[in-house]
Amino acid sequence: MFTCCEFEIIGYEVKLALPEVKHADKLYEIIAHDRAELAHFLPWAGKMSAVEDEVDFIKGMRNDFAQYRKLPLVILVNEQPAGMVDLHTIKWKNESAEIGYWLSQAYQKKGIMTEAVRRLVAFSFNELGLHQVKLLADHNNLASRAIAERLNFTHVALLKDEVKYHGKFCNMDLYTMIKQ
């Protein structure tokens, strides 16, 4: 199993690793349990209706990884799946990518996601040779915006009506970090 990085935080051992089909059951269980919260900002969560959907998602992400289009990582907390973090919209020519993430409610507000994003950004710059990482957060998702701000991403713009989900347009905050 490819592991991007490992760290400890408040007594938890955390790994960011390439997702495997064996993670699908637990990831789906988390999605089903946290569906209302996740689907509020991540509409795909409302469409995940069976473990097989998660298996298909993992297989698709691994295919995108093999083609250098995405870097999907499962967040393992004490060896158990707890969420995901990824690089997508990778533009090798422009040396840039966008980061996305979600985490089980059981592990939120413990600093796990902030550290996971910090580690993935460092990996992006130091190992992948990227110059810029972007983070797009729903304007109403204060927790997601707080991660970008804690990590000193630069707030570039408030994008009016940038995405449409749940039948309405939503504003998004665009943050970037440039390699120093």
Side-chain angles (χ1 to χ4, degrees), residues 4 6 10 24 26 30 33-34 41 58 64-65 68 71 75 91 96 98 112 122 124 130 139 141 147 154 158 174:
C4 173
E6 300 179 36
I10 61 168
K26 182 63 176 169
I30 295 166
H33 182 269
D34 295 353
F41 296 114
I58 290 170
D64 286 342
F65 171 72
Y68 299 97
L71 175 58
I75 300 168
K91 297 177 181 173
S96 68
E98 190 174 317
I112 293 170
S124 299
L130 297 181
H139 184 69
N141 189 339
I147 288 171
T154 300
L158 174 65
L174 174 63

Side-chain angles (χ1 to χ4, degrees), residues 71-83:
L71 175 58
L73 299 165
V74 64
I75 300 168
L76 299 172
V77 177
N78 297 335
E79 299 296 331
Q80 293 300 309

